Amino acid sequence: MLKWNKLGIKNRLIIIFIVIQLLIIGLSFYYFSSNHREFYLEQEKISLEHYSQLMLNNIEIEEILTSSQSLEIKAAEWSDDSETRITIIAADGQVLADSHYDINEMDNHRDRPEVVQAIRSGSSGNAIRYSNTIGEEMLYYAVPVREQGDLIGILRTARPLEFIRSVLIEDIKSYLFFFVILAVITIILGWRLTNSIVKPLETVTETAEKISEGDLTQRIPVRKYNSEIEKLARMFNYMAEELEEKITEISQEKNRIEAILESMVDGVIAVDKEGKISLINPAARRIFNIEAEKIKGKEIISSLFNHRIDMYLQRAFDKKESISREIKYKNPEQKIIQATFIPLLDDQDNINGGVIVLTDITELRKLETVRNDFVANVSHELRTPLTSMVGYLDTLLESDIEDQETRDRFLRIIKEETDRLSILIKDLFNLSKIESQSFDLKVENFEEVLTKVVNLLEKNAENKKIDFTVQIPDNLSPVYMVREQIKQVLINLIDNAIKYTPAGGKIEVKVEKEGDKVYFFVKDNGIGIPKADQERIFERFYRVDKARSRVLGGTGIGLSIVRNIVKQHGSEIQVKSREGEGSEFYFYLKAAE
């Protein structure tokens, strides 16, 4: 069964129109059939009354009183002329004559309703009933026959109602045809009216649905509808235009904010008043090494497993003011984060949420450490030779040393310290120059440069009885490089390998070409580098073994110069080493062919 509340307006209006039409047709049929039946019955009564009066004028009183046979003849003649059943009844109810049936077989009619009514009223009586004699429904009309005021008989006329029924049926057919045409016209007009109301509403609904799905360009055609619908359409279009404009503004603002958040170096995390994460930008995800989908909607402490962040956030909420703290976080590498916790307040100063701004200061702290180490190291490196020089000069100036050999020995020491200081200053100058300038790379013969460096340092390896081998492929491609800089890199790496490889050790220099790159490897089986120091050996003045490096004449700047030169050539210096087993340094240059 249909539920009225679930039906659309169109279906409701159609059902209402159909019900109204059925009610109109039903009531009209009832009204017209009833009135017409009464009308035709009244006309029949009048007709029977006229016939009765005509018949009374032709009946003799004596014929009734004597029950003359002539009454049957007259009744038959009158019946044939008027198509009416004629019955003449005596005052006592005995049938004297009947136009259709044998009076001997007929009952006493004294108790017939029309007869009783005619006797009582003194004028006429009528009744409608089913006639068992004729076998159909009849209209009976009876009038009294009097002689000087005394009732002497009853003249009864009757006609079947079949004629009236046939006339009524014909009328009903005519009315039904009329009402069907009227109903069709009404339904068509109702349908058009319904469409004129419902169609615009459906258009409004469809347009609103498309707008809700994101198509803000949808509009309702205005000129198709009447004034009320047109006004609604205009207002809807105005609302859609305003909505499109506002959403466009919001979308643009959202895109700008997202672009800013995406491009920010600092991490940003937005949380609601319960501390659940609603937004996290890429920088914050990189800091915590976590995916946004895994933490959105979750609490800070359960997402990041850091109680301090949650604690400081709650403290900012409690104080309703921003606070900044430095936090150490490890996942998997340890990072130092400068975190600012900002509560978001509404107009009533209630907490709506919060924002956490994160700045990764790990590299800054490392640079500060490197800077402090550099200052300490350079101070130490400069102070050591200067102290030695000042001490020997003071001895020479303040002491009366007559022994020429002692004086010469002091001067030689001062000269060595001066040379060492000069080399240190020269290395610092070269490093500063390399870091501050960019160089144009030219196509050079790498094999030629490497051969000259090997020839230069080969004698040092022989003096320590080191097995020194060089492997260079035939027809090695030229490379892009700055000749003097790469020569300095090769001297530094090979010389370090010779210095830190004990006598009788082994050094292997190898060159390989892979794709568009030419790789240089220098491998030794010397003292090696502890894993903890491998990340810092390229820092200025950093030494794994300071005493040993100083004895071997190192300044602690060589590998820093190597790293910067290699970077200038678009490459990276790499190291593989195990303490006590040796080290391998390698880098690549881009091939020119």
Side-chain angles (χ1 to χ4, degrees):
M1 185 175 181
L2 293 176
K3 293 185 178 180
W4 182 257
N5 293 335
K6 293 185 178 181
L7 293 176
I9 295 177
K10 186 175 183 179
N11 292 331
R12 291 185 186 184
L13 291 176
I14 292 173
I15 291 174
I16 290 172
F17 272 115
I18 292 175
V19 171
I20 290 174
Q21 289 300 312
L22 292 175
L23 287 174
I24 291 174
I25 292 173
L27 293 174
S28 299
F29 279 167
Y30 176 78
Y31 173 78
F32 284 114
S33 60
S34 298
N35 283 349
H36 279 212
R37 178 182 172 82
E38 294 297 325
F39 172 77
Y40 286 124
L41 287 174
E42 194 63 33
Q43 292 299 316
E44 284 295 305
K45 290 177 185 178
I46 294 172
S47 175
L48 291 176
E49 181 181 3
H50 289 165
Y51 277 118
S52 296
Q53 293 299 324
L54 290 174
M55 293 175 191
L56 285 174
N57 292 333
N58 291 318
I59 295 176
E60 297 294 334
I61 300 299
E62 291 297 327
E63 291 177 327
I64 296 175
L65 294 174
T66 61
S67 302
S68 174
Q69 293 293 327
S70 61
L71 289 177
E72 288 193 19
I73 297 171
K74 289 182 178 180
E77 291 176 353
W78 291 339
S79 176
D80 292 338
D81 293 339
S82 62
E83 297 181 353
T84 304
R85 179 184 176 186
I86 308 297
T87 305
I88 301 173
I89 306 168
D92 59 0
Q94 181 183 358
V95 178
L96 301 177
D98 190 273
S99 59
H100 285 69
Y101 292 97
D102 185 1
I103 61 174
N104 294 321
E105 296 179 359
M106 297 179 66
D107 299 331
N108 189 289
H109 282 36
R110 178 74 180 183
D111 59 348
R112 296 292 191 271
E114 65 275 8
V115 174
V116 173
Q117 185 180 359
I119 294 173
R120 289 180 179 178
S121 65
S123 58
S124 64
N126 62 86
I128 298 174
R129 68 176 183 277
Y130 183 82
S131 174
N132 293 322
T133 305
I134 297 178
E136 61 179 304
E137 195 174 33
M138 302 286 289
L139 170 63
Y140 294 95
Y141 190 87
V143 294
V145 180
R146 296 181 180 276
E147 173 62 27
Q148 295 180 356
D150 296 328
L151 180 66
I152 61 172
I154 300 294
L155 173 62
R156 190 185 71 174
T157 56
R159 285 181 181 173
L161 295 181
E162 181 64 28
F163 170 74
I164 295 178
R165 280 197 297 271
S166 62
V167 171
L168 286 176
I169 288 173
E170 292 299 322
D171 289 344
I172 288 173
K173 289 181 180 179
S174 300
Y175 289 140
L176 182 61
F177 178 73
F178 168 76
F179 281 122
V180 169
I181 294 176
L182 180 62
V184 171
I185 294 173
T186 305
I187 290 173
I188 292 173
L189 293 177
W191 183 272
R192 289 180 60 86
L193 177 62
T194 302
N195 277 341
S196 67
I197 296 173
V198 175
K199 191 66 176 177
L201 295 179
E202 290 177 347
T203 303
V204 171
T205 303
E206 292 173 359
T207 306
E209 184 177 359
K210 291 179 180 178
I211 291 175
S212 68
E213 292 173 352
D215 187 0
L216 301 178
T217 60
Q218 291 293 320
R219 296 294 183 272
I220 301 173
V222 174
R223 295 182 181 177
K224 292 184 178 180
Y225 309 121
N226 56 37
S227 58
E228 290 79 6
I229 301 297
E230 182 178 348
K231 184 177 180 181
L232 174 62
R234 289 184 185 278
M235 293 306 297
F236 185 90
N237 290 342
Y238 174 75
M239 180 191 69
E241 290 172 1
E242 289 292 313
L243 182 62
E244 181 180 11
E245 183 178 347
K246 295 298 181 185
I247 290 179
T248 302
E249 291 178 2
I250 293 171
S251 178
Q252 291 175 349
E253 187 66 24
K254 179 177 177 291
N255 291 337
R256 281 195 294 268
I257 292 173
E258 286 182 350
I260 292 171
L261 290 174
E262 291 286 328
S263 60
M264 283 181 65
V265 176
D266 291 341
V268 177
I269 299 176
V271 299
D272 58 19
K273 59 184 179 181
E274 279 79 29
K276 293 183 179 179
I277 297 173
S278 58
L279 180 146
I280 180 168
N281 74 335
R285 297 200 296 270
R286 287 192 297 270
I287 289 173
F288 293 110
N289 192 25
I290 198 167
E291 297 179 7
E293 293 75 13
K294 294 183 178 179
I295 64 173
K296 280 189 177 180
K298 297 182 179 179
E299 296 180 354
I300 287 284
I301 189 169
S302 62
S303 302
L304 306 179
F305 305 101
N306 192 297
H307 293 268
R308 288 187 176 274
I309 294 178
D310 185 68
M311 179 184 69
Y312 291 138
L313 177 64
Q314 291 302 322
R315 189 174 298 176
F317 283 175
D318 295 338
K319 291 184 176 182
K320 296 183 178 180
E321 61 181 23
S322 301
I323 60 174
S324 295
R325 294 292 186 274
E326 192 171 293
I327 299 171
K328 291 184 179 179
Y329 183 82
K330 189 173 184 180
N331 184 20
E333 298 178 355
Q334 181 167 304
K335 295 183 179 180
I336 303 173
I337 304 167
Q338 182 68 36
T340 302
F341 301 86
I342 306 167
L344 300 179
L345 308 176
D346 59 15
D347 296 336
Q348 285 75 38
D349 207 30
N350 296 319
I351 297 293
N352 271 343
V355 175
I356 305 172
V357 181
L358 308 162
T359 304
D360 188 352
I361 59 174
T362 306
E363 291 300 321
L364 179 62
R365 290 290 181 262
K366 287 183 180 180
L367 289 174
E368 288 178 355
T369 302
V370 171
R371 182 188 63 185
N372 294 333
D373 290 345
F374 172 75
V375 172
N377 289 332
V378 75
S379 299
H380 177 74
E381 294 295 334
L382 292 173
R383 184 172 63 250
T384 301
L386 286 174
T387 301
S388 179
M389 291 165 59
V390 170
Y392 283 108
L393 286 172
D394 288 341
T395 302
L396 289 173
L397 292 174
E398 296 177 1
S399 302
D400 187 10
I401 301 175
E402 296 180 357
D403 185 1
Q404 185 63 38
E405 184 179 350
T406 302
R407 292 174 64 88
D408 290 343
R409 184 168 59 84
F410 283 2
L411 289 174
R412 281 195 300 272
I413 293 172
I414 293 172
K415 176 67 169 60
E416 289 174 0
E417 294 296 335
T418 303
D419 291 342
R420 180 183 169 192
L421 187 60
S422 177
I423 293 172
L424 177 61
I425 293 172
K426 181 181 178 182
D427 285 346
L428 285 172
F429 176 76
N430 289 336
L431 180 59
S432 177
K433 182 179 179 181
I434 291 169
E435 289 179 339
S436 62
Q437 294 182 6
S438 60
F439 301 92
D440 294 330
L441 304 183
K442 297 180 181 179
V443 178
E444 299 283 356
N445 190 325
F446 182 74
E447 182 180 358
E448 181 182 324
V449 176
L450 177 58
T451 301
K452 287 184 178 181
V453 172
V454 169
N455 293 335
L456 179 64
L457 299 175
E458 194 173 28
K459 188 66 175 174
N460 296 342
E462 291 177 359
N463 292 338
K464 294 183 69 174
K465 297 181 180 180
I466 293 174
D467 183 8
F468 189 76
T469 60
V470 179
Q471 299 178 20
I472 303 175
D474 296 334
N475 301 318
L476 183 65
S477 301
V479 297
Y480 291 100
M481 67 178 182
V482 177
R483 190 183 187 92
E484 292 303 320
Q485 288 187 357
I486 294 300
K487 182 179 179 181
Q488 186 176 0
V489 169
L490 297 179
I491 290 173
N492 193 295
L493 293 177
I494 296 174
D495 186 51
N496 282 347
I498 295 172
K499 286 180 180 179
Y500 294 102
T501 300
K506 182 179 180 181
I507 295 176
E508 181 182 355
V509 174
K510 184 170 60 174
V511 179
E512 294 180 355
K513 185 175 186 298
E514 294 183 11
D516 62 344
K517 297 176 181 177
V518 174
Y519 284 86
F520 169 80
F521 300 86
V522 56
K523 183 178 181 182
D524 64 66
N525 63 348
I527 62 175
I529 305 169
K531 187 173 181 62
D533 295 308
Q534 289 179 18
E535 293 183 0
R536 302 195 62 188
I537 60 174
F538 296 103
E539 296 176 7
R540 305 171 189 177
F541 297 111
Y542 187 84
R543 294 187 182 94
V544 177
D545 187 343
K546 294 180 173 59
R548 183 180 177 87
S549 297
R550 191 172 291 111
V551 170
L552 294 174
T555 61
I557 301 178
L559 287 179
S560 183
I561 293 174
V562 167
R563 182 184 62 179
N564 282 279
I565 290 175
V566 172
K567 278 188 176 181
Q568 291 281 357
H569 286 72
S571 182
E572 284 287 340
I573 182 73
Q574 303 288 338
V575 60
K576 295 178 181 179
S577 181
R578 294 186 66 178
E579 190 174 5
E581 296 183 10
S583 304
E584 181 181 20
F585 288 83
Y586 61 95
F587 67 92
Y588 67 84
L589 296 173
K590 188 174 181 181
E593 294 181 359

